[in-house]
Amino acid sequence: MENNYPINPYTKDTASYPMSAPPLSIQNESNRNSMEYQNHMANEKGFDAAMTETQVNSAVSSIHEGKEGHGKDLEHGEKAHGHNDPYDPNRPKLGFRQRMHHFTWAWFTLPMSTGGLSLLIFAQPHQFPGLRQIGLFVYILNIIIFSVLTLGMLARFFLHHGDFYKSISHPREGFFFPTYFLSIATLITSTQRYAIPDNDTALVWAIQTAFWGYVVVTLMLAVGQFSFVFAAHSFELHTMMPTWILPIFPIMLSGTIASVISDTQPDIAAIPIVVAGMTCQGLGMSVAFMMYSHMVGRLMKAGLPNREHRPGLFMNVGPPAFTALAFIGMANGLPDNFDRDLQDGLVDVNIIRTMAIVAAIFLWALSLWWFFIGVIAVLASRPKYFHLGWYAMVFPNTGFILATISIGNELKHEGVLWVTTGMSICLLATYLFVLVSHIRAVIVQDIMYPGRDEDVNDH
């Protein structure tokens, strides 16, 4: 029976006849079908999805290449599957609606860092006329920034339905969700410093209510987000980044809030606040220690992260620094007549304060070690493109400087306090540099652009 199907030119039947070729009509039909298929696939993938796919493919390649420096860097601008490269300076510009799709939770690292700066200004050991007024301005500015960013996130979720769940469940952006609550923590502590008079009973109770509400919400966050991550994601050790610590960070800062507000509370309220703060601080530091073991294992196995994400290593500075700060602050926040053993003097407030200083110095050393690890890693291969993770060079180091100031005050060592003044100047310069880079990145569309934000898993 005669076969009416067209001959496949690539079967072994025709491969032995190099001089033979399929009819021209079949070639034209094959070429036409191939072009139609390519056009169909191009229409199926929107520009936004294409850019994201490009970034993911590039990131996966960089992970498999091994340690940074031995493979192709993320920023080399390779094209994947013919798509536009998100790092191409001639890439198309996007409109407001498209860009808001990439307005991520990582933006709250800005008010988080600004709030930390206002606290650092208040705590300066060497004040000059007008410095507190500058701190008050930064505090008010931070309230405005936080409010604007909150409205921006609501606009994103309104313009792009379904983005809320996608954002908090994303394997990378989801870890930045806690920065929203870290920003709230800085607002609570800054409000206590700048806006609560010493003898205003109503406001003292208001700040106490805010503290207990914050503890409840952040405890739910710490349990809920880690439970979701354990159930929904599967991460390899070589992909571990310091952002994995972030879900425990907000509950840990309950101790820092307690250290700030306990000194202004009535004795009957101060002790429960200190106990709760110590409990939350212990939880956060314990989880951070477990994360540190994974972080060191990741660095030993896979080397340093890609240079674009090395500033995130400063996140490791934060937990021991804020814990040291909280220990001293909460010990000082206890009533002066506090005696755990009911007036026998065995464990009185002075003993507790001495133990707090010893523990703070112990933890401060760990922060110092992580600080130098981060400095050397960043200077060895400085990032080229702005990422919101750069604010990790600000907020955790703010806690480090605040802890150093507290230790210097307790030891009454003027040399240490002058060192902290120099550190504060360096931090201010870092904050301004990151802020200017942030503004520039928004203008030139280096962020809020497909493949350039925390909504793509590129490490």
Side-chain angles (χ1 to χ4, degrees):
M1 184 176 179
E2 184 178 0
N3 188 355
N4 294 324
Y5 294 105
I7 299 174
N8 187 339
Y10 301 107
T11 61
K12 66 179 183 179
D13 294 327
T14 58
S16 59
Y17 299 94
M19 296 300 296
S20 64
L24 185 60
S25 61
I26 295 178
Q27 289 184 357
N28 291 339
E29 182 179 358
S30 176
N31 291 337
R32 184 168 58 254
N33 291 339
S34 176
M35 292 179 63
E36 289 177 355
Y37 174 79
Q38 292 176 6
N39 291 335
H40 171 72
M41 292 302 296
N43 292 332
E44 284 291 317
K45 288 184 178 288
F47 177 77
D48 191 48
M51 300 296 283
T52 303
E53 181 183 350
T54 301
Q55 186 70 357
V56 170
N57 290 336
S58 178
V60 172
S61 299
S62 68
I63 290 174
H64 287 292
E65 289 289 349
K67 295 186 178 182
E68 193 272 341
H70 294 281
K72 297 177 180 178
D73 284 342
L74 199 64
E75 67 274 9
H76 280 179
E78 294 183 80
K79 292 188 176 182
H81 305 296
H83 298 314
N84 291 321
D85 176 25
Y87 290 90
D88 184 357
N90 299 318
R91 62 188 181 277
K93 300 297 183 182
L94 300 184
F96 174 79
R97 182 186 179 92
Q98 290 174 291
R99 297 191 68 191
M100 286 303 295
H101 185 46
H102 305 281
F103 186 80
T104 66
W105 289 109
W107 269 79
F108 286 96
T109 55
L110 170 58
M112 183 177 76
S113 300
T114 307
L117 182 63
S118 69
L119 291 171
L120 183 61
I121 292 173
F122 186 92
Q124 282 305 296
H126 303 106
Q127 296 282 330
F128 59 83
L131 184 59
R132 289 288 173 85
Q133 285 70 28
I134 295 174
L136 178 62
F137 169 78
V138 175
Y139 162 65
I140 296 173
L141 178 63
N142 191 43
I143 294 176
I144 297 172
I145 292 173
F146 179 81
S147 302
V148 170
L149 295 187
T150 301
L151 292 175
M153 290 302 295
L154 292 175
R156 172 194 175 184
F157 301 146
F158 177 78
L159 293 173
H160 302 277
H161 299 291
D163 266 16
F164 176 73
Y165 178 76
K166 291 178 182 177
S167 67
I168 62 176
S169 61
H170 190 272
R172 183 183 174 200
E173 184 185 355
F175 281 109
F176 285 93
F177 179 52
T179 60
Y180 181 82
F181 299 94
L182 290 173
S183 300
I184 294 176
T186 64
L187 288 175
I188 295 174
T189 50
S190 299
T191 299
Q192 175 65 60
R193 292 302 196 198
Y194 289 101
I196 305 295
D198 292 336
N199 300 318
D200 193 316
T201 304
L203 292 179
V204 167
W205 280 99
I207 205 75
Q208 182 186 145
T209 303
F211 168 77
W212 289 111
Y214 180 85
V215 168
V216 171
V217 172
T218 54
L219 178 60
M220 294 171 59
L221 172 70
V223 175
Q225 184 165 13
F226 273 122
S227 297
F228 175 81
V229 169
F230 297 156
H233 298 305
S234 179
F235 296 107
E236 298 292 336
L237 178 63
H238 64 266
T239 66
M240 198 276 177
M241 292 297 287
T243 51
W244 291 10
I245 301 176
L246 281 175
I248 205 65
F249 229 116
I251 188 67
M252 181 173 61
L253 257 63
S254 298
T256 307
I257 298 174
S259 70
V260 172
I261 72 173
S262 58
D263 193 38
T264 64
Q265 295 291 319
D267 290 354
I268 194 173
I271 295 176
I273 288 175
V274 169
V275 172
M278 181 63 69
T279 303
C280 296
Q281 198 73 40
L283 171 62
M285 192 67 238
S286 299
V287 175
F289 275 132
M290 291 187 284
M291 288 295 182
Y292 283 159
S293 63
H294 287 288
M295 189 70 240
V296 172
R298 178 255 193 271
L299 294 175
M300 296 289 284
K301 176 179 175 60
L304 293 168
N306 182 281
R307 75 181 192 181
E308 298 303 320
H309 303 295
R310 291 189 183 187
L313 290 172
F314 285 104
M315 189 64 66
N316 297 312
V317 177
F322 282 106
T323 303
L325 174 65
F327 278 178
I328 294 176
M330 286 187 288
N332 291 334
L334 288 172
D336 291 334
N337 60 355
F338 177 78
D339 187 343
R340 188 183 71 86
D341 293 316
L342 301 177
Q343 307 303 323
D344 66 1
L346 182 62
V347 182
D348 62 5
V349 68
N350 294 319
I351 297 297
I352 293 175
R353 288 170 181 170
T354 301
M355 294 171 60
I357 296 172
V358 173
I361 295 174
F362 180 89
L363 291 169
W364 180 88
L366 179 58
S367 287
L368 180 69
W369 184 76
W370 276 117
F371 173 78
F372 282 121
I373 293 293
V375 169
I376 293 172
V378 171
L379 293 180
S381 185
R382 289 174 292 180
K384 181 178 180 181
Y385 300 102
F386 176 80
H387 292 275
L388 290 166
W390 284 20
Y391 283 105
M393 296 187 291
V394 179
F395 182 71
N397 292 331
T398 301
F400 180 53
I401 299 173
L402 287 170
T404 310
I405 291 174
S406 294
I407 293 172
N409 286 331
E410 295 300 317
L411 299 178
K412 296 179 173 57
H413 196 293
E414 193 64 21
V416 172
L417 296 177
W418 276 111
V419 169
T420 60
T421 299
M423 295 168 67
S424 300
I425 295 172
C426 293
L427 185 87
L428 175 61
T430 303
Y431 173 82
L432 293 176
F433 169 74
V434 175
L435 180 63
V436 170
S437 301
H438 187 176
I439 295 172
R440 178 189 174 278
V442 173
I443 295 173
V444 302
Q445 298 197 10
D446 275 351
I447 62 173
M448 294 179 68
Y449 197 89
R452 298 296 295 266
D453 298 273
E454 289 68 28
D455 55 353
V456 58
N457 195 24
D458 67 346
H459 64 265

